[in-house]
Amino acid sequence: DGGITQSPKYLFRKEGQNVTLSCEQNLNHDAMYWYRQDPGQGLRLIYYSQIVNDFQKGDIAEGYSVSREKKESFPLTVTSAQKNPTAFYLCASSERTGGNQPQHFGDGTRLSIL
Amino acid sequence: DQQVKQNSPSLSVQEGRISILNCDYTNSMFDYFLWYKKYPAEGPTFLISISSIKDKNEDGRFTVFLNKSAKHLSLHIVPSQPGDSAVYFCAASALGRSSASKIIFGSGTRLSIRP
């Protein structure tokens, strides 16, 4: 079945540590996204990528980094510079970027600080 | 400042009745709107959308209404079923601005369908 796979489902980070969240899609979509969800808030865009080897900052990119070396993969690294990393992280993809492109989401990764 | 607002964090509706979820937006440049549904421990799934050239879009039990002058949209579910219990996110975008226009999400409304 086509879809988006995020791993791990739960992740714990120690102070000063970088952690990487995995996102893989087999939908052959060009565009991929990373969102962060905090309690009582909507999804906020961290980074997005329109095509392989290209990515753009979203609204809250500080403390995060991404890469898009392969069409199907868009890993997110939460660096030690992100002072409040505890949140639910969602990866999504769409055929292409554009506000009328419904996005397909993974099941998320919950990141917590130890 | 939230550009897309869902002011009701939760809603409880009896099975078989109509569920109405509301959403307000502040950016007059928004011209495309989407609703997503999210079950616990799963990612959101796309439900229905509407372009600003329409004021209504229907898909089975789901209808979205758009009132551009009031900057308000609503999702109607009729009749409500137990499987409709989920969190519903309203989202908006400004298509005319850029091919890479972003989707802005509201904070969600948790709908509970009671027997």
Side-chain angles (χ1 to χ4, degrees), chain A residues 15-52:
Chain A
E15 293 286 343
Q17 186 181 45
N18 293 356
V19 291
T20 298
L21 285 61
S22 170
C23 178
E24 303 279 330
Q25 56 101 357
N26 60 4
L27 299 166
N28 200 34
H29 285 171
D30 283 326
M32 296 187 75
Y33 313 81
W34 273 105
Y35 292 92
R36 168 180 173 143
Q37 186 184 15
D38 294 283
Q41 296 195 36
L43 309 180
R44 292 184 292 166
L45 184 65
I46 304 172
Y47 267 98
Y48 67 99
S49 169
Q50 298 184 67
I51 200 166
V52 175

PDB file of all heavy atoms in Angstrom, chain A residues 15-52:
ATOM      1  N   GLU A  15      19.504  16.577  26.724  1.00  0.00           N
ATOM      2  CA  GLU A  15      19.953  17.958  26.551  1.00  0.00           C
ATOM      3  C   GLU A  15      21.220  17.979  25.685  1.00  0.00           C
ATOM      4  O   GLU A  15      22.137  17.175  25.879  1.00  0.00           O
ATOM      5  CB  GLU A  15      20.265  18.589  27.907  1.00  0.00           C
ATOM      6  CG  GLU A  15      19.057  18.794  28.798  1.00  0.00           C
ATOM      7  CD  GLU A  15      18.180  19.945  28.335  1.00  0.00           C
ATOM      8  OE1 GLU A  15      18.661  20.765  27.543  1.00  0.00           O
ATOM      9  OE2 GLU A  15      17.030  20.009  28.776  1.00  0.00           O
ATOM     10  N   GLY A  16      21.280  18.896  24.725  1.00  0.00           N
ATOM     11  CA  GLY A  16      22.463  19.053  23.898  1.00  0.00           C
ATOM     12  C   GLY A  16      22.625  18.025  22.804  1.00  0.00           C
ATOM     13  O   GLY A  16      23.643  17.988  22.114  1.00  0.00           O
ATOM     14  N   GLN A  17      21.620  17.191  22.624  1.00  0.00           N
ATOM     15  CA  GLN A  17      21.720  16.109  21.645  1.00  0.00           C
ATOM     16  C   GLN A  17      20.924  16.438  20.379  1.00  0.00           C
ATOM     17  O   GLN A  17      19.840  17.016  20.467  1.00  0.00           O
ATOM     18  CB  GLN A  17      21.164  14.835  22.282  1.00  0.00           C
ATOM     19  CG  GLN A  17      21.312  13.577  21.481  1.00  0.00           C
ATOM     20  CD  GLN A  17      20.695  12.386  22.205  1.00  0.00           C
ATOM     21  OE1 GLN A  17      19.589  12.474  22.736  1.00  0.00           O
ATOM     22  NE2 GLN A  17      21.419  11.280  22.230  1.00  0.00           N
ATOM     23  N   ASN A  18      21.466  16.077  19.240  1.00  0.00           N
ATOM     24  CA  ASN A  18      20.703  16.146  17.994  1.00  0.00           C
ATOM     25  C   ASN A  18      19.981  14.826  17.788  1.00  0.00           C
ATOM     26  O   ASN A  18      20.538  13.757  18.084  1.00  0.00           O
ATOM     27  CB  ASN A  18      21.630  16.376  16.799  1.00  0.00           C
ATOM     28  CG  ASN A  18      22.291  17.746  16.807  1.00  0.00           C
ATOM     29  OD1 ASN A  18      22.013  18.573  17.680  1.00  0.00           O
ATOM     30  ND2 ASN A  18      23.166  17.973  15.867  1.00  0.00           N
ATOM     31  N   VAL A  19      18.766  14.884  17.267  1.00  0.00           N
ATOM     32  CA  VAL A  19      18.053  13.660  16.922  1.00  0.00           C
ATOM     33  C   VAL A  19      17.450  13.816  15.535  1.00  0.00           C
ATOM     34  O   VAL A  19      17.117  14.921  15.117  1.00  0.00           O
ATOM     35  CB  VAL A  19      16.931  13.320  17.934  1.00  0.00           C
ATOM     36  CG1 VAL A  19      17.514  12.908  19.262  1.00  0.00           C
ATOM     37  CG2 VAL A  19      15.973  14.475  18.077  1.00  0.00           C
ATOM     38  N   THR A  20      17.334  12.696  14.829  1.00  0.00           N
ATOM     39  CA  THR A  20      16.802  12.721  13.471  1.00  0.00           C
ATOM     40  C   THR A  20      15.537  11.893  13.382  1.00  0.00           C
ATOM     41  O   THR A  20      15.507  10.737  13.812  1.00  0.00           O
ATOM     42  CB  THR A  20      17.850  12.197  12.468  1.00  0.00           C
ATOM     43  OG1 THR A  20      18.991  13.062  12.497  1.00  0.00           O
ATOM     44  CG2 THR A  20      17.283  12.188  11.052  1.00  0.00           C
ATOM     45  N   LEU A  21      14.504  12.504  12.814  1.00  0.00           N
ATOM     46  CA  LEU A  21      13.222  11.845  12.593  1.00  0.00           C
ATOM     47  C   LEU A  21      13.153  11.427  11.131  1.00  0.00           C
ATOM     48  O   LEU A  21      13.430  12.225  10.227  1.00  0.00           O
ATOM     49  CB  LEU A  21      12.069  12.796  12.917  1.00  0.00           C
ATOM     50  CG  LEU A  21      11.750  13.072  14.387  1.00  0.00           C
ATOM     51  CD1 LEU A  21      12.912  13.722  15.123  1.00  0.00           C
ATOM     52  CD2 LEU A  21      10.505  13.943  14.485  1.00  0.00           C
ATOM     53  N   SER A  22      12.725  10.196  10.923  1.00  0.00           N
ATOM     54  CA  SER A  22      12.695   9.654   9.573  1.00  0.00           C
ATOM     55  C   SER A  22      11.318   9.835   8.941  1.00  0.00           C
ATOM     56  O   SER A  22      10.288   9.734   9.622  1.00  0.00           O
ATOM     57  CB  SER A  22      13.056   8.163   9.618  1.00  0.00           C
ATOM     58  OG  SER A  22      12.813   7.546   8.375  1.00  0.00           O
ATOM     59  N   CYS A  23      11.288  10.105   7.639  1.00  0.00           N
ATOM     60  CA  CYS A  23      10.048  10.172   6.876  1.00  0.00           C
ATOM     61  C   CYS A  23      10.307   9.604   5.487  1.00  0.00           C
ATOM     62  O   CYS A  23      11.185  10.085   4.764  1.00  0.00           O
ATOM     63  CB  CYS A  23       9.547  11.605   6.764  1.00  0.00           C
ATOM     64  SG  CYS A  23       8.045  11.753   5.777  1.00  0.00           S
ATOM     65  N   GLU A  24       9.556   8.565   5.151  1.00  0.00           N
ATOM     66  CA  GLU A  24       9.691   7.921   3.840  1.00  0.00           C
ATOM     67  C   GLU A  24       8.311   7.825   3.193  1.00  0.00           C
ATOM     68  O   GLU A  24       7.337   7.492   3.855  1.00  0.00           O
ATOM     69  CB  GLU A  24      10.249   6.497   3.998  1.00  0.00           C
ATOM     70  CG  GLU A  24      11.577   6.404   4.717  1.00  0.00           C
ATOM     71  CD  GLU A  24      12.759   6.702   3.814  1.00  0.00           C
ATOM     72  OE1 GLU A  24      12.651   6.417   2.600  1.00  0.00           O
ATOM     73  OE2 GLU A  24      13.781   7.194   4.320  1.00  0.00           O
ATOM     74  N   GLN A  25       8.245   8.119   1.889  1.00  0.00           N
ATOM     75  CA  GLN A  25       6.972   7.983   1.166  1.00  0.00           C
ATOM     76  C   GLN A  25       7.184   7.181  -0.120  1.00  0.00           C
ATOM     77  O   GLN A  25       8.228   7.296  -0.756  1.00  0.00           O
ATOM     78  CB  GLN A  25       6.358   9.366   0.862  1.00  0.00           C
ATOM     79  CG  GLN A  25       7.254  10.321   0.099  1.00  0.00           C
ATOM     80  CD  GLN A  25       6.976  10.447  -1.376  1.00  0.00           C
ATOM     81  OE1 GLN A  25       6.107   9.751  -1.921  1.00  0.00           O
ATOM     82  NE2 GLN A  25       7.708  11.332  -2.049  1.00  0.00           N
ATOM     83  N   ASN A  26       6.183   6.373  -0.445  1.00  0.00           N
ATOM     84  CA  ASN A  26       6.232   5.598  -1.690  1.00  0.00           C
ATOM     85  C   ASN A  26       5.072   5.975  -2.602  1.00  0.00           C
ATOM     86  O   ASN A  26       4.570   5.153  -3.368  1.00  0.00           O
ATOM     87  CB  ASN A  26       6.246   4.095  -1.387  1.00  0.00           C
ATOM     88  CG  ASN A  26       5.017   3.639  -0.628  1.00  0.00           C
ATOM     89  OD1 ASN A  26       4.104   4.429  -0.374  1.00  0.00           O
ATOM     90  ND2 ASN A  26       4.980   2.378  -0.260  1.00  0.00           N
ATOM     91  N   LEU A  27       4.655   7.232  -2.499  1.00  0.00           N
ATOM     92  CA  LEU A  27       3.554   7.748  -3.303  1.00  0.00           C
ATOM     93  C   LEU A  27       4.042   8.428  -4.578  1.00  0.00           C
ATOM     94  O   LEU A  27       3.237   8.933  -5.361  1.00  0.00           O
ATOM     95  CB  LEU A  27       2.739   8.750  -2.454  1.00  0.00           C
ATOM     96  CG  LEU A  27       2.102   8.157  -1.200  1.00  0.00           C
ATOM     97  CD1 LEU A  27       1.621   9.269  -0.271  1.00  0.00           C
ATOM     98  CD2 LEU A  27       0.944   7.245  -1.580  1.00  0.00           C
ATOM     99  N   ASN A  28       5.359   8.494  -4.753  1.00  0.00           N
ATOM    100  CA  ASN A  28       5.969   9.181  -5.901  1.00  0.00           C
ATOM    101  C   ASN A  28       5.621  10.673  -5.927  1.00  0.00           C
ATOM    102  O   ASN A  28       5.520  11.280  -6.997  1.00  0.00           O
ATOM    103  CB  ASN A  28       5.564   8.520  -7.223  1.00  0.00           C
ATOM    104  CG  ASN A  28       6.536   8.867  -8.350  1.00  0.00           C
ATOM    105  OD1 ASN A  28       7.729   9.021  -8.124  1.00  0.00           O
ATOM    106  ND2 ASN A  28       6.028   8.977  -9.556  1.00  0.00           N
ATOM    107  N   HIS A  29       5.449  11.244  -4.741  1.00  0.00           N
ATOM    108  CA  HIS A  29       5.137  12.665  -4.631  1.00  0.00           C
ATOM    109  C   HIS A  29       6.408  13.502  -4.716  1.00  0.00           C
ATOM    110  O   HIS A  29       7.447  13.138  -4.169  1.00  0.00           O
ATOM    111  CB  HIS A  29       4.427  12.949  -3.312  1.00  0.00           C
ATOM    112  CG  HIS A  29       3.003  12.498  -3.305  1.00  0.00           C
ATOM    113  ND1 HIS A  29       2.233  12.500  -2.143  1.00  0.00           N
ATOM    114  CD2 HIS A  29       2.189  12.067  -4.282  1.00  0.00           C
ATOM    115  CE1 HIS A  29       1.017  12.081  -2.444  1.00  0.00           C
ATOM    116  NE2 HIS A  29       0.968  11.799  -3.722  1.00  0.00           N
ATOM    117  N   ASP A  30       6.287  14.656  -5.381  1.00  0.00           N
ATOM    118  CA  ASP A  30       7.429  15.557  -5.465  1.00  0.00           C
ATOM    119  C   ASP A  30       7.622  16.358  -4.181  1.00  0.00           C
ATOM    120  O   ASP A  30       8.742  16.637  -3.782  1.00  0.00           O
ATOM    121  CB  ASP A  30       7.244  16.540  -6.635  1.00  0.00           C
ATOM    122  CG  ASP A  30       7.526  15.896  -7.978  1.00  0.00           C
ATOM    123  OD1 ASP A  30       8.405  15.022  -8.041  1.00  0.00           O
ATOM    124  OD2 ASP A  30       6.860  16.269  -8.966  1.00  0.00           O
ATOM    125  N   ALA A  31       6.523  16.782  -3.571  1.00  0.00           N
ATOM    126  CA  ALA A  31       6.606  17.699  -2.430  1.00  0.00           C
ATOM    127  C   ALA A  31       6.507  16.966  -1.103  1.00  0.00           C
ATOM    128  O   ALA A  31       5.728  16.021  -0.953  1.00  0.00           O
ATOM    129  CB  ALA A  31       5.492  18.742  -2.521  1.00  0.00           C
ATOM    130  N   MET A  32       7.305  17.402  -0.148  1.00  0.00           N
ATOM    131  CA  MET A  32       7.253  16.843   1.203  1.00  0.00           C
ATOM    132  C   MET A  32       7.356  17.967   2.218  1.00  0.00           C
ATOM    133  O   MET A  32       7.921  19.040   1.927  1.00  0.00           O
ATOM    134  CB  MET A  32       8.364  15.811   1.412  1.00  0.00           C
ATOM    135  CG  MET A  32       8.224  14.587   0.511  1.00  0.00           C
ATOM    136  SD  MET A  32       9.377  13.266   0.865  1.00  0.00           S
ATOM    137  CE  MET A  32       8.661  12.566   2.367  1.00  0.00           C
ATOM    138  N   TYR A  33       6.790  17.712   3.398  1.00  0.00           N
ATOM    139  CA  TYR A  33       6.661  18.758   4.412  1.00  0.00           C
ATOM    140  C   TYR A  33       6.946  18.187   5.799  1.00  0.00           C
ATOM    141  O   TYR A  33       6.682  17.012   6.053  1.00  0.00           O
ATOM    142  CB  TYR A  33       5.226  19.311   4.432  1.00  0.00           C
ATOM    143  CG  TYR A  33       4.655  19.652   3.087  1.00  0.00           C
ATOM    144  CD1 TYR A  33       4.110  18.667   2.267  1.00  0.00           C
ATOM    145  CD2 TYR A  33       4.622  20.976   2.639  1.00  0.00           C
ATOM    146  CE1 TYR A  33       3.560  18.976   1.032  1.00  0.00           C
ATOM    147  CE2 TYR A  33       4.075  21.289   1.401  1.00  0.00           C
ATOM    148  CZ  TYR A  33       3.550  20.282   0.606  1.00  0.00           C
ATOM    149  OH  TYR A  33       3.015  20.593  -0.615  1.00  0.00           O
ATOM    150  N   TRP A  34       7.361  19.066   6.710  1.00  0.00           N
ATOM    151  CA  TRP A  34       7.436  18.734   8.137  1.00  0.00           C
ATOM    152  C   TRP A  34       6.644  19.785   8.914  1.00  0.00           C
ATOM    153  O   TRP A  34       6.824  20.994   8.718  1.00  0.00           O
ATOM    154  CB  TRP A  34       8.874  18.718   8.641  1.00  0.00           C
ATOM    155  CG  TRP A  34       9.554  17.404   8.458  1.00  0.00           C
ATOM    156  CD1 TRP A  34      10.503  17.085   7.530  1.00  0.00           C
ATOM    157  CD2 TRP A  34       9.352  16.216   9.231  1.00  0.00           C
ATOM    158  NE1 TRP A  34      10.907  15.780   7.670  1.00  0.00           N
ATOM    159  CE2 TRP A  34      10.204  15.225   8.717  1.00  0.00           C
ATOM    160  CE3 TRP A  34       8.531  15.898  10.325  1.00  0.00           C
ATOM    161  CZ2 TRP A  34      10.271  13.931   9.243  1.00  0.00           C
ATOM    162  CZ3 TRP A  34       8.597  14.620  10.839  1.00  0.00           C
ATOM    163  CH2 TRP A  34       9.465  13.651  10.305  1.00  0.00           C
ATOM    164  N   TYR A  35       5.772  19.274   9.796  1.00  0.00           N
ATOM    165  CA  TYR A  35       4.975  20.132  10.664  1.00  0.00           C
ATOM    166  C   TYR A  35       5.254  19.773  12.117  1.00  0.00           C
ATOM    167  O   TYR A  35       5.584  18.637  12.446  1.00  0.00           O
ATOM    168  CB  TYR A  35       3.472  19.938  10.417  1.00  0.00           C
ATOM    169  CG  TYR A  35       2.973  20.424   9.095  1.00  0.00           C
ATOM    170  CD1 TYR A  35       2.915  19.568   8.000  1.00  0.00           C
ATOM    171  CD2 TYR A  35       2.517  21.730   8.937  1.00  0.00           C
ATOM    172  CE1 TYR A  35       2.440  20.006   6.782  1.00  0.00           C
ATOM    173  CE2 TYR A  35       2.037  22.178   7.719  1.00  0.00           C
ATOM    174  CZ  TYR A  35       1.997  21.310   6.648  1.00  0.00           C
ATOM    175  OH  TYR A  35       1.513  21.745   5.439  1.00  0.00           O
ATOM    176  N   ARG A  36       4.984  20.750  12.954  1.00  0.00           N
ATOM    177  CA  ARG A  36       5.054  20.530  14.403  1.00  0.00           C
ATOM    178  C   ARG A  36       3.689  20.862  14.982  1.00  0.00           C
ATOM    179  O   ARG A  36       3.068  21.861  14.595  1.00  0.00           O
ATOM    180  CB  ARG A  36       6.116  21.451  14.993  1.00  0.00           C
ATOM    181  CG  ARG A  36       6.106  21.546  16.502  1.00  0.00           C
ATOM    182  CD  ARG A  36       7.174  22.470  17.027  1.00  0.00           C
ATOM    183  NE  ARG A  36       6.992  22.649  18.462  1.00  0.00           N
ATOM    184  CZ  ARG A  36       7.974  22.753  19.329  1.00  0.00           C
ATOM    185  NH1 ARG A  36       9.243  22.709  18.923  1.00  0.00           N
ATOM    186  NH2 ARG A  36       7.713  22.923  20.606  1.00  0.00           N
ATOM    187  N   GLN A  37       3.208  19.999  15.893  1.00  0.00           N
ATOM    188  CA  GLN A  37       1.942  20.274  16.568  1.00  0.00           C
ATOM    189  C   GLN A  37       2.170  20.336  18.060  1.00  0.00           C
ATOM    190  O   GLN A  37       2.714  19.408  18.657  1.00  0.00           O
ATOM    191  CB  GLN A  37       0.889  19.199  16.246  1.00  0.00           C
ATOM    192  CG  GLN A  37      -0.471  19.537  16.825  1.00  0.00           C
ATOM    193  CD  GLN A  37      -1.496  18.454  16.615  1.00  0.00           C
ATOM    194  OE1 GLN A  37      -1.184  17.317  16.277  1.00  0.00           O
ATOM    195  NE2 GLN A  37      -2.750  18.799  16.808  1.00  0.00           N
ATOM    196  N   ASP A  38       1.732  21.440  18.676  1.00  0.00           N
ATOM    197  CA  ASP A  38       1.764  21.600  20.128  1.00  0.00           C
ATOM    198  C   ASP A  38       0.331  21.595  20.636  1.00  0.00           C
ATOM    199  O   ASP A  38      -0.592  21.943  19.885  1.00  0.00           O
ATOM    200  CB  ASP A  38       2.472  22.903  20.497  1.00  0.00           C
ATOM    201  CG  ASP A  38       3.947  22.878  20.133  1.00  0.00           C
ATOM    202  OD1 ASP A  38       4.708  22.234  20.878  1.00  0.00           O
ATOM    203  OD2 ASP A  38       4.324  23.454  19.093  1.00  0.00           O
ATOM    204  N   PRO A  39       0.135  21.246  21.896  1.00  0.00           N
ATOM    205  CA  PRO A  39      -1.234  21.184  22.437  1.00  0.00           C
ATOM    206  C   PRO A  39      -1.993  22.487  22.215  1.00  0.00           C
ATOM    207  O   PRO A  39      -1.481  23.568  22.501  1.00  0.00           O
ATOM    208  CB  PRO A  39      -1.007  20.905  23.920  1.00  0.00           C
ATOM    209  CG  PRO A  39       0.313  20.214  23.975  1.00  0.00           C
ATOM    210  CD  PRO A  39       1.139  20.833  22.895  1.00  0.00           C
ATOM    211  N   GLY A  40      -3.216  22.373  21.703  1.00  0.00           N
ATOM    212  CA  GLY A  40      -4.062  23.541  21.512  1.00  0.00           C
ATOM    213  C   GLY A  40      -3.681  24.413  20.329  1.00  0.00           C
ATOM    214  O   GLY A  40      -4.248  25.495  20.154  1.00  0.00           O
ATOM    215  N   GLN A  41      -2.737  23.944  19.530  1.00  0.00           N
ATOM    216  CA  GLN A  41      -2.332  24.736  18.366  1.00  0.00           C
ATOM    217  C   GLN A  41      -2.493  23.933  17.094  1.00  0.00           C
ATOM    218  O   GLN A  41      -2.541  22.712  17.112  1.00  0.00           O
ATOM    219  CB  GLN A  41      -0.871  25.173  18.512  1.00  0.00           C
ATOM    220  CG  GLN A  41      -0.607  26.097  19.691  1.00  0.00           C
ATOM    221  CD  GLN A  41       0.737  26.772  19.597  1.00  0.00           C
ATOM    222  OE1 GLN A  41       1.192  27.112  18.509  1.00  0.00           O
ATOM    223  NE2 GLN A  41       1.368  26.990  20.731  1.00  0.00           N
ATOM    224  N   GLY A  42      -2.551  24.657  15.999  1.00  0.00           N
ATOM    225  CA  GLY A  42      -2.609  23.981  14.713  1.00  0.00           C
ATOM    226  C   GLY A  42      -1.253  23.461  14.308  1.00  0.00           C
ATOM    227  O   GLY A  42      -0.271  23.581  15.036  1.00  0.00           O
ATOM    228  N   LEU A  43      -1.194  22.888  13.132  1.00  0.00           N
ATOM    229  CA  LEU A  43       0.069  22.388  12.604  1.00  0.00           C
ATOM    230  C   LEU A  43       0.877  23.570  12.084  1.00  0.00           C
ATOM    231  O   LEU A  43       0.381  24.372  11.300  1.00  0.00           O
ATOM    232  CB  LEU A  43      -0.186  21.406  11.461  1.00  0.00           C
ATOM    233  CG  LEU A  43      -1.176  20.280  11.764  1.00  0.00           C
ATOM    234  CD1 LEU A  43      -1.329  19.380  10.545  1.00  0.00           C
ATOM    235  CD2 LEU A  43      -0.717  19.482  12.961  1.00  0.00           C
ATOM    236  N   ARG A  44       2.128  23.654  12.501  1.00  0.00           N
ATOM    237  CA  ARG A  44       2.987  24.751  12.045  1.00  0.00           C
ATOM    238  C   ARG A  44       4.090  24.182  11.155  1.00  0.00           C
ATOM    239  O   ARG A  44       4.745  23.214  11.510  1.00  0.00           O
ATOM    240  CB  ARG A  44       3.565  25.509  13.238  1.00  0.00           C
ATOM    241  CG  ARG A  44       2.501  26.278  14.019  1.00  0.00           C
ATOM    242  CD  ARG A  44       3.128  27.094  15.129  1.00  0.00           C
ATOM    243  NE  ARG A  44       3.681  26.272  16.188  1.00  0.00           N
ATOM    244  CZ  ARG A  44       4.502  26.713  17.131  1.00  0.00           C
ATOM    245  NH1 ARG A  44       4.896  27.975  17.132  1.00  0.00           N
ATOM    246  NH2 ARG A  44       4.943  25.900  18.082  1.00  0.00           N
ATOM    247  N   LEU A  45       4.319  24.831  10.031  1.00  0.00           N
ATOM    248  CA  LEU A  45       5.247  24.336   9.025  1.00  0.00           C
ATOM    249  C   LEU A  45       6.687  24.620   9.415  1.00  0.00           C
ATOM    250  O   LEU A  45       7.054  25.773   9.667  1.00  0.00           O
ATOM    251  CB  LEU A  45       4.919  24.976   7.670  1.00  0.00           C
ATOM    252  CG  LEU A  45       5.728  24.515   6.469  1.00  0.00           C
ATOM    253  CD1 LEU A  45       5.460  23.043   6.174  1.00  0.00           C
ATOM    254  CD2 LEU A  45       5.382  25.369   5.262  1.00  0.00           C
ATOM    255  N   ILE A  46       7.512  23.573   9.432  1.00  0.00           N
ATOM    256  CA  ILE A  46       8.917  23.715   9.784  1.00  0.00           C
ATOM    257  C   ILE A  46       9.767  23.897   8.518  1.00  0.00           C
ATOM    258  O   ILE A  46      10.503  24.873   8.371  1.00  0.00           O
ATOM    259  CB  ILE A  46       9.418  22.486  10.566  1.00  0.00           C
ATOM    260  CG1 ILE A  46       8.568  22.244  11.809  1.00  0.00           C
ATOM    261  CG2 ILE A  46      10.891  22.667  10.973  1.00  0.00           C
ATOM    262  CD1 ILE A  46       8.879  20.931  12.518  1.00  0.00           C
ATOM    263  N   TYR A  47       9.681  22.939   7.633  1.00  0.00           N
ATOM    264  CA  TYR A  47      10.400  22.962   6.352  1.00  0.00           C
ATOM    265  C   TYR A  47       9.528  22.290   5.311  1.00  0.00           C
ATOM    266  O   TYR A  47       8.690  21.452   5.636  1.00  0.00           O
ATOM    267  CB  TYR A  47      11.728  22.188   6.447  1.00  0.00           C
ATOM    268  CG  TYR A  47      12.949  22.992   6.804  1.00  0.00           C
ATOM    269  CD1 TYR A  47      13.409  23.024   8.121  1.00  0.00           C
ATOM    270  CD2 TYR A  47      13.665  23.692   5.830  1.00  0.00           C
ATOM    271  CE1 TYR A  47      14.543  23.746   8.459  1.00  0.00           C
ATOM    272  CE2 TYR A  47      14.804  24.423   6.171  1.00  0.00           C
ATOM    273  CZ  TYR A  47      15.234  24.441   7.484  1.00  0.00           C
ATOM    274  OH  TYR A  47      16.363  25.163   7.836  1.00  0.00           O
ATOM    275  N   TYR A  48       9.769  22.631   4.039  1.00  0.00           N
ATOM    276  CA  TYR A  48       9.135  21.896   2.963  1.00  0.00           C
ATOM    277  C   TYR A  48      10.100  21.782   1.788  1.00  0.00           C
ATOM    278  O   TYR A  48      11.054  22.551   1.668  1.00  0.00           O
ATOM    279  CB  TYR A  48       7.809  22.527   2.538  1.00  0.00           C
ATOM    280  CG  TYR A  48       7.910  23.887   1.891  1.00  0.00           C
ATOM    281  CD1 TYR A  48       7.862  24.030   0.510  1.00  0.00           C
ATOM    282  CD2 TYR A  48       7.991  25.038   2.680  1.00  0.00           C
ATOM    283  CE1 TYR A  48       7.928  25.284  -0.084  1.00  0.00           C
ATOM    284  CE2 TYR A  48       8.063  26.286   2.092  1.00  0.00           C
ATOM    285  CZ  TYR A  48       8.024  26.410   0.715  1.00  0.00           C
ATOM    286  OH  TYR A  48       8.095  27.659   0.132  1.00  0.00           O
ATOM    287  N   SER A  49       9.821  20.804   0.959  1.00  0.00           N
ATOM    288  CA  SER A  49      10.676  20.545  -0.198  1.00  0.00           C
ATOM    289  C   SER A  49       9.791  20.345  -1.420  1.00  0.00           C
ATOM    290  O   SER A  49       8.871  19.528  -1.397  1.00  0.00           O
ATOM    291  CB  SER A  49      11.518  19.293   0.043  1.00  0.00           C
ATOM    292  OG  SER A  49      12.157  18.867  -1.147  1.00  0.00           O
ATOM    293  N   GLN A  50      10.074  21.072  -2.481  1.00  0.00           N
ATOM    294  CA  GLN A  50       9.268  20.962  -3.705  1.00  0.00           C
ATOM    295  C   GLN A  50       9.790  19.866  -4.623  1.00  0.00           C
ATOM    296  O   GLN A  50       9.048  19.345  -5.466  1.00  0.00           O
ATOM    297  CB  GLN A  50       9.268  22.290  -4.460  1.00  0.00           C
ATOM    298  CG  GLN A  50       8.643  23.432  -3.677  1.00  0.00           C
ATOM    299  CD  GLN A  50       8.570  24.698  -4.494  1.00  0.00           C
ATOM    300  OE1 GLN A  50       7.838  24.761  -5.479  1.00  0.00           O
ATOM    301  NE2 GLN A  50       9.309  25.726  -4.099  1.00  0.00           N
ATOM    302  N   ILE A  51      11.084  19.569  -4.473  1.00  0.00           N
ATOM    303  CA  ILE A  51      11.700  18.611  -5.376  1.00  0.00           C
ATOM    304  C   ILE A  51      13.012  18.139  -4.753  1.00  0.00           C
ATOM    305  O   ILE A  51      13.529  18.781  -3.806  1.00  0.00           O
ATOM    306  CB  ILE A  51      11.924  19.270  -6.755  1.00  0.00           C
ATOM    307  CG1 ILE A  51      12.089  18.230  -7.840  1.00  0.00           C
ATOM    308  CG2 ILE A  51      13.067  20.248  -6.686  1.00  0.00           C
ATOM    309  CD1 ILE A  51      11.981  18.805  -9.244  1.00  0.00           C
ATOM    310  N   VAL A  52      13.551  17.069  -5.271  1.00  0.00           N
ATOM    311  CA  VAL A  52      14.808  16.530  -4.740  1.00  0.00           C
ATOM    312  C   VAL A  52      15.899  17.598  -4.767  1.00  0.00           C
ATOM    313  O   VAL A  52      15.972  18.402  -5.696  1.00  0.00           O
ATOM    314  CB  VAL A  52      15.246  15.293  -5.565  1.00  0.00           C
ATOM    315  CG1 VAL A  52      16.609  14.793  -5.106  1.00  0.00           C
ATOM    316  CG2 VAL A  52      14.228  14.195  -5.452  1.00  0.00           C
TER     317      VAL A  52
END
